[in-house]
PDB file of all heavy atoms in Angstrom:
ATOM      1  N   ALA D 296      89.881 117.652  92.938  1.00  0.00           N
ATOM      2  CA  ALA D 296      90.459 116.452  93.563  1.00  0.00           C
ATOM      3  C   ALA D 296      90.571 115.293  92.561  1.00  0.00           C
ATOM      4  O   ALA D 296      91.584 114.668  92.509  1.00  0.00           O
ATOM      5  CB  ALA D 296      89.665 116.120  94.846  1.00  0.00           C
ATOM      6  N   LEU D 297      89.448 115.060  91.912  1.00  0.00           N
ATOM      7  CA  LEU D 297      89.389 113.869  91.004  1.00  0.00           C
ATOM      8  C   LEU D 297      90.462 114.037  89.913  1.00  0.00           C
ATOM      9  O   LEU D 297      91.175 113.139  89.538  1.00  0.00           O
ATOM     10  CB  LEU D 297      87.991 113.723  90.436  1.00  0.00           C
ATOM     11  CG  LEU D 297      87.657 112.369  89.861  1.00  0.00           C
ATOM     12  CD1 LEU D 297      87.722 111.319  90.967  1.00  0.00           C
ATOM     13  CD2 LEU D 297      86.202 112.369  89.295  1.00  0.00           C
ATOM     14  N   GLN D 298      90.415 115.231  89.325  1.00  0.00           N
ATOM     15  CA  GLN D 298      91.400 115.551  88.184  1.00  0.00           C
ATOM     16  C   GLN D 298      92.816 115.439  88.710  1.00  0.00           C
ATOM     17  O   GLN D 298      93.710 114.837  88.025  1.00  0.00           O
ATOM     18  CB  GLN D 298      91.168 116.948  87.651  1.00  0.00           C
ATOM     19  CG  GLN D 298      89.871 117.055  86.886  1.00  0.00           C
ATOM     20  CD  GLN D 298      89.432 118.469  86.674  1.00  0.00           C
ATOM     21  OE1 GLN D 298      89.904 119.461  87.435  1.00  0.00           O
ATOM     22  NE2 GLN D 298      88.645 118.760  85.679  1.00  0.00           N
ATOM     23  N   PHE D 299      93.061 115.901  89.952  1.00  0.00           N
ATOM     24  CA  PHE D 299      94.407 115.854  90.533  1.00  0.00           C
ATOM     25  C   PHE D 299      94.808 114.407  90.711  1.00  0.00           C
ATOM     26  O   PHE D 299      95.995 114.000  90.499  1.00  0.00           O
ATOM     27  CB  PHE D 299      94.503 116.706  91.750  1.00  0.00           C
ATOM     28  CG  PHE D 299      95.870 116.806  92.274  1.00  0.00           C
ATOM     29  CD1 PHE D 299      96.922 117.546  91.606  1.00  0.00           C
ATOM     30  CD2 PHE D 299      96.335 116.207  93.481  1.00  0.00           C
ATOM     31  CE1 PHE D 299      98.176 117.689  92.065  1.00  0.00           C
ATOM     32  CE2 PHE D 299      97.629 116.381  93.961  1.00  0.00           C
ATOM     33  CZ  PHE D 299      98.573 117.067  93.225  1.00  0.00           C
ATOM     34  N   SER D 300      93.934 113.587  91.226  1.00  0.00           N
ATOM     35  CA  SER D 300      94.201 112.183  91.465  1.00  0.00           C
ATOM     36  C   SER D 300      94.627 111.502  90.101  1.00  0.00           C
ATOM     37  O   SER D 300      95.560 110.643  90.147  1.00  0.00           O
ATOM     38  CB  SER D 300      93.029 111.446  92.091  1.00  0.00           C
ATOM     39  OG  SER D 300      92.009 111.188  91.123  1.00  0.00           O
ATOM     40  N   HIS D 301      94.038 111.828  89.030  1.00  0.00           N
ATOM     41  CA  HIS D 301      94.413 111.285  87.738  1.00  0.00           C
ATOM     42  C   HIS D 301      95.762 111.781  87.273  1.00  0.00           C
ATOM     43  O   HIS D 301      96.575 111.029  86.734  1.00  0.00           O
ATOM     44  CB  HIS D 301      93.301 111.589  86.730  1.00  0.00           C
ATOM     45  CG  HIS D 301      92.123 110.660  86.869  1.00  0.00           C
ATOM     46  ND1 HIS D 301      91.115 110.515  85.969  1.00  0.00           N
ATOM     47  CD2 HIS D 301      91.709 109.909  87.934  1.00  0.00           C
ATOM     48  CE1 HIS D 301      90.162 109.707  86.338  1.00  0.00           C
ATOM     49  NE2 HIS D 301      90.529 109.204  87.548  1.00  0.00           N
ATOM     50  N   LEU D 302      96.065 113.040  87.504  1.00  0.00           N
ATOM     51  CA  LEU D 302      97.382 113.584  87.187  1.00  0.00           C
ATOM     52  C   LEU D 302      98.516 112.783  87.982  1.00  0.00           C
ATOM     53  O   LEU D 302      99.512 112.377  87.372  1.00  0.00           O
ATOM     54  CB  LEU D 302      97.508 115.105  87.571  1.00  0.00           C
ATOM     55  CG  LEU D 302      96.671 116.078  86.670  1.00  0.00           C
ATOM     56  CD1 LEU D 302      96.805 117.469  87.290  1.00  0.00           C
ATOM     57  CD2 LEU D 302      97.156 116.036  85.233  1.00  0.00           C
ATOM     58  N   LEU D 303      98.229 112.538  89.233  1.00  0.00           N
ATOM     59  CA  LEU D 303      99.149 111.729  90.101  1.00  0.00           C
ATOM     60  C   LEU D 303      99.373 110.309  89.462  1.00  0.00           C
ATOM     61  O   LEU D 303     100.520 109.832  89.384  1.00  0.00           O
ATOM     62  CB  LEU D 303      98.755 111.717  91.500  1.00  0.00           C
ATOM     63  CG  LEU D 303      98.803 112.980  92.229  1.00  0.00           C
ATOM     64  CD1 LEU D 303      98.162 112.831  93.645  1.00  0.00           C
ATOM     65  CD2 LEU D 303     100.198 113.607  92.407  1.00  0.00           C
ATOM     66  N   LEU D 304      98.279 109.731  89.082  1.00  0.00           N
ATOM     67  CA  LEU D 304      98.410 108.298  88.644  1.00  0.00           C
ATOM     68  C   LEU D 304      99.135 108.301  87.309  1.00  0.00           C
ATOM     69  O   LEU D 304      99.997 107.405  87.111  1.00  0.00           O
ATOM     70  CB  LEU D 304      96.957 107.761  88.368  1.00  0.00           C
ATOM     71  CG  LEU D 304      96.190 107.417  89.671  1.00  0.00           C
ATOM     72  CD1 LEU D 304      94.734 106.892  89.315  1.00  0.00           C
ATOM     73  CD2 LEU D 304      96.890 106.422  90.542  1.00  0.00           C
ATOM     74  N   LYS D 305      98.953 109.324  86.433  1.00  0.00           N
ATOM     75  CA  LYS D 305      99.674 109.396  85.238  1.00  0.00           C
ATOM     76  C   LYS D 305     101.168 109.535  85.460  1.00  0.00           C
ATOM     77  O   LYS D 305     101.992 109.020  84.667  1.00  0.00           O
ATOM     78  CB  LYS D 305      99.187 110.566  84.339  1.00  0.00           C
ATOM     79  CG  LYS D 305      97.794 110.245  83.662  1.00  0.00           C
ATOM     80  CD  LYS D 305      97.278 111.391  82.915  1.00  0.00           C
ATOM     81  CE  LYS D 305      95.771 111.156  82.521  1.00  0.00           C
ATOM     82  NZ  LYS D 305      95.096 112.356  82.025  1.00  0.00           N
ATOM     83  N   GLU D 306     101.541 110.274  86.496  1.00  0.00           N
ATOM     84  CA  GLU D 306     102.976 110.406  86.891  1.00  0.00           C
ATOM     85  C   GLU D 306     103.554 109.068  87.408  1.00  0.00           C
ATOM     86  O   GLU D 306     104.671 108.748  87.151  1.00  0.00           O
ATOM     87  CB  GLU D 306     103.150 111.450  88.014  1.00  0.00           C
ATOM     88  CG  GLU D 306     103.017 112.915  87.570  1.00  0.00           C
ATOM     89  CD  GLU D 306     104.240 113.373  86.740  1.00  0.00           C
ATOM     90  OE1 GLU D 306     105.322 113.091  87.111  1.00  0.00           O
ATOM     91  OE2 GLU D 306     104.018 114.031  85.710  1.00  0.00           O
ATOM     92  N   ALA D 307     102.710 108.374  88.157  1.00  0.00           N
ATOM     93  CA  ALA D 307     103.233 107.233  88.927  1.00  0.00           C
ATOM     94  C   ALA D 307     103.311 105.942  88.184  1.00  0.00           C
ATOM     95  O   ALA D 307     104.059 105.065  88.492  1.00  0.00           O
ATOM     96  CB  ALA D 307     102.368 107.040  90.212  1.00  0.00           C
ATOM     97  N   VAL D 308     102.438 105.828  87.185  1.00  0.00           N
ATOM     98  CA  VAL D 308     102.234 104.431  86.541  1.00  0.00           C
ATOM     99  C   VAL D 308     102.817 104.447  85.131  1.00  0.00           C
ATOM    100  O   VAL D 308     102.623 105.341  84.320  1.00  0.00           O
ATOM    101  CB  VAL D 308     100.690 104.145  86.498  1.00  0.00           C
ATOM    102  CG1 VAL D 308     100.509 102.700  85.802  1.00  0.00           C
ATOM    103  CG2 VAL D 308     100.113 104.126  87.886  1.00  0.00           C
ATOM    104  N   SER D 309     103.578 103.384  84.887  1.00  0.00           N
ATOM    105  CA  SER D 309     104.183 103.160  83.555  1.00  0.00           C
ATOM    106  C   SER D 309     103.698 101.817  82.939  1.00  0.00           C
ATOM    107  O   SER D 309     103.177 100.939  83.660  1.00  0.00           O
ATOM    108  CB  SER D 309     105.764 103.087  83.671  1.00  0.00           C
ATOM    109  OG  SER D 309     106.177 104.212  84.312  1.00  0.00           O
ATOM    110  N   THR D 310     103.923 101.719  81.673  1.00  0.00           N
ATOM    111  CA  THR D 310     103.580 100.497  80.945  1.00  0.00           C
ATOM    112  C   THR D 310     104.192  99.259  81.627  1.00  0.00           C
ATOM    113  O   THR D 310     105.397  99.260  82.042  1.00  0.00           O
ATOM    114  CB  THR D 310     104.205 100.474  79.520  1.00  0.00           C
ATOM    115  OG1 THR D 310     103.777 101.777  79.002  1.00  0.00           O
ATOM    116  CG2 THR D 310     103.612  99.385  78.638  1.00  0.00           C
ATOM    117  N   GLY D 311     103.396  98.216  81.800  1.00  0.00           N
ATOM    118  CA  GLY D 311     103.958  96.963  82.426  1.00  0.00           C
ATOM    119  C   GLY D 311     103.790  96.884  83.890  1.00  0.00           C
ATOM    120  O   GLY D 311     104.068  95.837  84.506  1.00  0.00           O
ATOM    121  N   ASP D 312     103.335  97.935  84.495  1.00  0.00           N
ATOM    122  CA  ASP D 312     103.253  98.028  85.978  1.00  0.00           C
ATOM    123  C   ASP D 312     102.084  97.170  86.502  1.00  0.00           C
ATOM    124  O   ASP D 312     101.091  96.916  85.754  1.00  0.00           O
ATOM    125  CB  ASP D 312     103.020  99.420  86.516  1.00  0.00           C
ATOM    126  CG  ASP D 312     104.309 100.278  86.493  1.00  0.00           C
ATOM    127  OD1 ASP D 312     105.350  99.678  86.162  1.00  0.00           O
ATOM    128  OD2 ASP D 312     104.225 101.511  86.776  1.00  0.00           O
ATOM    129  N   GLN D 313     102.177  96.795  87.774  1.00  0.00           N
ATOM    130  CA  GLN D 313     100.984  96.246  88.485  1.00  0.00           C
ATOM    131  C   GLN D 313     100.446  97.277  89.433  1.00  0.00           C
ATOM    132  O   GLN D 313     101.260  98.048  90.128  1.00  0.00           O
ATOM    133  CB  GLN D 313     101.460  95.010  89.226  1.00  0.00           C
ATOM    134  CG  GLN D 313     102.071  93.939  88.355  1.00  0.00           C
ATOM    135  CD  GLN D 313     102.237  92.618  88.987  1.00  0.00           C
ATOM    136  OE1 GLN D 313     101.219  91.821  89.180  1.00  0.00           O
ATOM    137  NE2 GLN D 313     103.378  92.252  89.402  1.00  0.00           N
ATOM    138  N   VAL D 314      99.139  97.436  89.396  1.00  0.00           N
ATOM    139  CA  VAL D 314      98.516  98.533  90.251  1.00  0.00           C
ATOM    140  C   VAL D 314      97.217  97.989  90.753  1.00  0.00           C
ATOM    141  O   VAL D 314      96.596  96.994  90.356  1.00  0.00           O
ATOM    142  CB  VAL D 314      98.178  99.813  89.371  1.00  0.00           C
ATOM    143  CG1 VAL D 314      99.494 100.397  88.829  1.00  0.00           C
ATOM    144  CG2 VAL D 314      97.243  99.446  88.194  1.00  0.00           C
ATOM    145  N   ILE D 315      96.702  98.742  91.806  1.00  0.00           N
ATOM    146  CA  ILE D 315      95.479  98.343  92.471  1.00  0.00           C
ATOM    147  C   ILE D 315      94.407  99.418  92.461  1.00  0.00           C
ATOM    148  O   ILE D 315      94.755 100.582  92.735  1.00  0.00           O
ATOM    149  CB  ILE D 315      95.776  97.988  93.959  1.00  0.00           C
ATOM    150  CG1 ILE D 315      96.575  96.683  94.022  1.00  0.00           C
ATOM    151  CG2 ILE D 315      94.464  97.810  94.817  1.00  0.00           C
ATOM    152  CD1 ILE D 315      97.129  96.346  95.476  1.00  0.00           C
ATOM    153  N   ASP D 316      93.198  99.112  92.101  1.00  0.00           N
ATOM    154  CA  ASP D 316      92.088 100.029  92.220  1.00  0.00           C
ATOM    155  C   ASP D 316      91.280  99.429  93.466  1.00  0.00           C
ATOM    156  O   ASP D 316      90.536  98.478  93.254  1.00  0.00           O
ATOM    157  CB  ASP D 316      91.220 100.116  90.952  1.00  0.00           C
ATOM    158  CG  ASP D 316      90.190 101.162  91.051  1.00  0.00           C
ATOM    159  OD1 ASP D 316      89.841 101.600  92.214  1.00  0.00           O
ATOM    160  OD2 ASP D 316      89.560 101.548  90.081  1.00  0.00           O
ATOM    161  N   GLY D 317      91.364 100.149  94.579  1.00  0.00           N
ATOM    162  CA  GLY D 317      90.779  99.599  95.781  1.00  0.00           C
ATOM    163  C   GLY D 317      89.242  99.792  95.859  1.00  0.00           C
ATOM    164  O   GLY D 317      88.616  99.251  96.749  1.00  0.00           O
ATOM    165  N   THR D 318      88.709 100.661  94.979  1.00  0.00           N
ATOM    166  CA  THR D 318      87.332 100.989  94.964  1.00  0.00           C
ATOM    167  C   THR D 318      86.879 101.227  93.547  1.00  0.00           C
ATOM    168  O   THR D 318      86.884 102.362  93.146  1.00  0.00           O
ATOM    169  CB  THR D 318      87.071 102.287  95.829  1.00  0.00           C
ATOM    170  OG1 THR D 318      87.972 103.373  95.300  1.00  0.00           O
ATOM    171  CG2 THR D 318      87.246 102.054  97.295  1.00  0.00           C
ATOM    172  N   ILE D 319      86.552 100.214  92.807  1.00  0.00           N
ATOM    173  CA  ILE D 319      86.386 100.311  91.356  1.00  0.00           C
ATOM    174  C   ILE D 319      85.192 101.191  91.016  1.00  0.00           C
ATOM    175  O   ILE D 319      85.211 101.886  90.003  1.00  0.00           O
ATOM    176  CB  ILE D 319      86.399  99.061  90.617  1.00  0.00           C
ATOM    177  CG1 ILE D 319      85.203  98.142  90.961  1.00  0.00           C
ATOM    178  CG2 ILE D 319      87.693  98.277  90.803  1.00  0.00           C
ATOM    179  CD1 ILE D 319      85.070  96.890  90.092  1.00  0.00           C
ATOM    180  N   GLY D 320      84.105 101.200  91.838  1.00  0.00           N
ATOM    181  CA  GLY D 320      83.008 102.082  91.602  1.00  0.00           C
ATOM    182  C   GLY D 320      82.540 101.945  90.204  1.00  0.00           C
ATOM    183  O   GLY D 320      82.285 100.841  89.747  1.00  0.00           O
ATOM    184  N   ASN D 321      82.355 103.030  89.457  1.00  0.00           N
ATOM    185  CA  ASN D 321      81.911 102.945  88.083  1.00  0.00           C
ATOM    186  C   ASN D 321      82.974 102.724  87.002  1.00  0.00           C
ATOM    187  O   ASN D 321      82.702 102.793  85.913  1.00  0.00           O
ATOM    188  CB  ASN D 321      81.054 104.180  87.746  1.00  0.00           C
ATOM    189  CG  ASN D 321      79.669 104.146  88.426  1.00  0.00           C
ATOM    190  OD1 ASN D 321      79.133 103.021  88.621  1.00  0.00           O
ATOM    191  ND2 ASN D 321      79.157 105.299  88.960  1.00  0.00           N
ATOM    192  N   GLY D 322      84.177 102.528  87.575  1.00  0.00           N
ATOM    193  CA  GLY D 322      85.222 102.072  86.675  1.00  0.00           C
ATOM    194  C   GLY D 322      86.090 103.039  86.019  1.00  0.00           C
ATOM    195  O   GLY D 322      86.990 102.704  85.253  1.00  0.00           O
ATOM    196  N   ASN D 323      85.932 104.368  86.325  1.00  0.00           N
ATOM    197  CA  ASN D 323      86.664 105.360  85.591  1.00  0.00           C
ATOM    198  C   ASN D 323      88.192 105.233  85.922  1.00  0.00           C
ATOM    199  O   ASN D 323      89.031 105.426  85.028  1.00  0.00           O
ATOM    200  CB  ASN D 323      86.150 106.760  85.929  1.00  0.00           C
ATOM    201  CG  ASN D 323      84.732 106.934  85.456  1.00  0.00           C
ATOM    202  OD1 ASN D 323      84.460 106.705  84.309  1.00  0.00           O
ATOM    203  ND2 ASN D 323      83.826 107.342  86.396  1.00  0.00           N
TER     204      ASN D 323
END
Side-chain angles (χ1 to χ4, degrees):
Chain D
L297 201 61
Q298 291 163 338
F299 188 69
S300 75
H301 284 195
L302 291 176
L303 290 174
L304 291 177
K305 286 175 189 166
E306 284 287 318
V308 180
S309 306
T310 310
D312 285 355
Q313 302 193 77
V314 297
I315 291 172
D316 187 344
T318 50
I319 65 175
N321 287 325
N323 297 307

